[in-house]
Amino acid sequence: MNSYPRDEFDDVPEDSARRGAYRGQQIDQSTSRGGTIAILCVGILGLLLGAVMFVVQPRTLAPDAPNNVSAAVSDPASESSNESQQTPKDPSEINVKIYNAGTYPGAASEVEREMKKAGYNVTGTSNWKGESIPYSMVYYANGFIAEANTVADGLGFSYFEEQKDAPADISVVLGPDFAGIPEGSFQENVAAQETATASATASEAPAP
């Protein structure tokens, strides 16, 4: 037996068909819906306020960033093309060495004579001591690609190449394929090449 005091529930017969039911606290639906609507309104208002502040507030870069942020991208192919199209230096400013690499004796002296007529500063002639080459070509020091192109055209060569630790600004190597150069032809070819280069440069210049 328990020690609880007797109450009205003790008077219910044990064989009664009635059963007890739990009566929870009733929720006021109108109050619940009103609270949800209020929360939604506050959230929407907050979003609108944030959007307005984002638009109105001045935008600034990071403290260490410059006002004009830009990146210059270097294109090696473009640089090489631009360098080859530059106007060549005056021939008197270009040091030239001429090498005989398997052609007939006296060929280097012939080319020296013709290049001096065109104003080039030929500093010497000698036999080629480098690797054997099957064709004539022009080697050039860094920064003299335009001048090498002009000299190669003047001599009728198909090849020119940059040379590290070059002994001169321009090195003319006369290979076994060199068969001589007609008198005055080098100067004429160089003049024609310079004229063509000047015309190309003028055509690329922006209109005033």
Side-chain angles (χ1 to χ4, degrees), residues 78 80-87 195-208:
S78 176
S80 177
S81 176
N82 292 338
E83 186 180 3
S84 65
Q85 294 177 4
Q86 292 176 355
T87 302
T195 300
T197 301
S199 298
T201 302
S203 64
E204 293 176 357

Side-chain angles (χ1 to χ4, degrees), residues 102-167:
T103 187
Y104 60 89
S109 297
E110 291 180 8
V111 174
E112 177 187 17
R113 182 177 62 250
E114 292 302 313
M115 292 192 71
K116 283 185 174 179
K117 287 180 181 179
Y120 285 86
N121 181 27
V122 180
T123 59
T125 62
S126 63
N127 291 324
W128 178 248
K129 296 181 180 179
E131 296 182 359
S132 177
I133 58 174
Y135 43 76
S136 301
M137 68 181 304
V138 174
Y139 288 105
Y140 62 91
N142 183 34
F144 286 85
I145 185 173
E147 292 74 18
N149 183 47
T150 299
V151 171
D153 283 347
L155 294 171
F157 294 175
S158 301
Y159 306 96
F160 59 94
E161 180 181 326
E162 183 176 357
Q163 183 181 30
K164 294 182 179 179
D165 301 325

Side-chain angles (χ1 to χ4, degrees), residues 2-204:
N2 57 51
S3 59
Y4 296 106
R6 185 178 180 81
D7 55 24
E8 65 273 18
F9 295 105
D10 293 326
D11 297 333
V12 178
E14 294 183 0
D15 57 351
S16 172
R18 297 180 59 187
R19 295 291 182 268
Y22 174 75
R23 303 295 184 186
Q25 183 180 0
Q26 296 295 322
I27 299 175
D28 189 344
Q29 296 296 330
S30 62
T31 303
S32 176
R33 284 195 295 271
T36 303
I37 293 174
I39 293 173
L40 289 176
C41 289
V42 171
I44 294 173
L45 182 60
L47 290 175
L48 291 175
L49 181 60
V52 171
M53 292 298 294
F54 178 79
V55 174
V56 174
Q57 183 179 7
R59 302 179 187 180
T60 59
L61 294 170
D64 297 333
N67 291 333
N68 183 17
V69 180
S70 62
V73 180
S74 177
D75 185 353
S78 176
E79 289 181 356
S80 177
S81 176
N82 292 338
E83 186 180 3
S84 65
Q85 294 177 4
Q86 292 176 355
T87 302
K89 299 177 179 63
D90 187 271
S92 62
E93 301 175 356
I94 304 171
N95 297 323
V96 180
K97 285 193 174 183
I98 305 171
Y99 299 91
N100 189 324
T103 187
Y104 60 89
S109 297
E110 291 180 8
V111 174
E112 177 187 17
R113 182 177 62 250
E114 292 302 313
M115 292 192 71
K116 283 185 174 179
K117 287 180 181 179
Y120 285 86
N121 181 27
V122 180
T123 59
T125 62
S126 63
N127 291 324
W128 178 248
K129 296 181 180 179
E131 296 182 359
S132 177
I133 58 174
Y135 43 76
S136 301
M137 68 181 304
V138 174
Y139 288 105
Y140 62 91
N142 183 34
F144 286 85
I145 185 173
E147 292 74 18
N149 183 47
T150 299
V151 171
D153 283 347
L155 294 171
F157 294 175
S158 301
Y159 306 96
F160 59 94
E161 180 181 326
E162 183 176 357
Q163 183 181 30
K164 294 182 179 179
D165 301 325
D169 301 331
I170 298 292
S171 298
V172 177
V173 183
L174 307 175
D177 62 334
F178 183 74
I181 180 171
E183 185 174 353
S185 63
F186 175 77
Q187 190 170 3
E188 293 175 358
N189 292 342
V190 168
Q193 173 67 14
E194 290 176 348
T195 300
T197 301
S199 298
T201 302
S203 64
E204 293 176 357

